[in-house]
Amino acid sequence: MTPKNSREKKTEDRQKFNYEEFEEVLEEIKEEDYDTIGLQGPDGIKPQLIDYADQLEEHGFDTVIIGASTFGACGIADEKAERMGADALIHVGHTRFLHPERQDMDDLNVYYLPYREDRDLMGVLREHYEEIDAEKVGLVGVTQYMDRAEEAREFLEDKGFEVVEGKTGLRTTEPGQVLGCDAGAAHNIAHKVDAFVFLGSGHFHPSQVSETGKDIYVVDPYEEHIWVEPANSLDDETRAEHARVIKHKDKKKWGIVTSSKKGQNYMQAVQIAKEKLEKHGKDVYVFVEDRIFEPDYKGFGIDIYVNCACPRMTKDWQDMAFVSPSALDVLNEVDIEHE
Ligand code: SF4
């Protein structure tokens, strides 16, 4: 077999990655008077960022790539791109993120290119739909598969299910789309359904939906079957957070952590948490950092921090006491004796 030259290889990759949406963005960008374009995306699609940069350069643009990966459009890097002289930023991987406290998210022109996972989601649904034990289902999922939501809905209705489409949440822009910090799309319709059908994989997002009190049938293209995330599966984590607050209830010094990432900078939440703690006589210190790492908060002589950044990090910190603002309410139910 003749080895493929690099141009043939690139063309093949472009077909594989489905560059249609990128080409639409490229057409829009060409109509503007831009010289330099920033690029930003999560781990896993970094080769695509390089290829997008090549294509932009082919069309006469200079490019600058944000080195750090991003976990969501909450971490939009338009300010960094602007500092490097960019006129616009292409954020790859996620849809536009709406700030729950209505802060501005974009200072620069930002184009969003959501990543769509090329896995056989519909094949899994077709093969295993009979395992869905419900009549009325809510249809939700993650960005990577929401381009197939309409096809999934039509299929399920054809098989006799009553399907209620999810609405947008507080932070989301696609109907039915769920983020780790926003299952509003499911909460909005929970009262109308017996269970949810979730397009995606892993427990991270379905566990958020489980707070609706309904079972979640996860159509998982990685596991290649449908499995059930039980209702209220986060209850154990919530109890664990309450236990952490109670363990540290007599500590005088408490920290509050927020992020300088635009979509994780929750100043109203900081203020509410501060007032709750000060009501109980605590000395409160507010911290900010772009990306929040547990070791940075060791050495201040503070044993417990309140997380007012990405809500999902509370679940990831195990060594130090790190709790959600809502967990502070248990302080109202206990006696406090400062150490
Ligand atoms: S879960 Fe965290 S990282 Fe993901 S979009 Fe929400 S704030 Fe951003």
Side-chain angles (χ1 to χ4, degrees), residues 71-75 97 171 179-182 204 263-264 266 309-312:
F71 299 102
C74 56
F97 181 95
R171 297 163 164 95
L179 300 175
C181 56
D182 188 2
F204 182 77
Q264 293 187 26
Y266 300 141
C310 168
R312 292 313 309 260

Side-chain angles (χ1 to χ4, degrees), residues 49-65:
L49 292 186
I50 295 297
D51 197 28
Y52 289 154
D54 286 345
Q55 291 196 58
L56 287 161
E57 300 268 348
E58 280 170 25
H59 285 86
F61 297 104
D62 286 333
T63 59
V64 57
I65 302 171

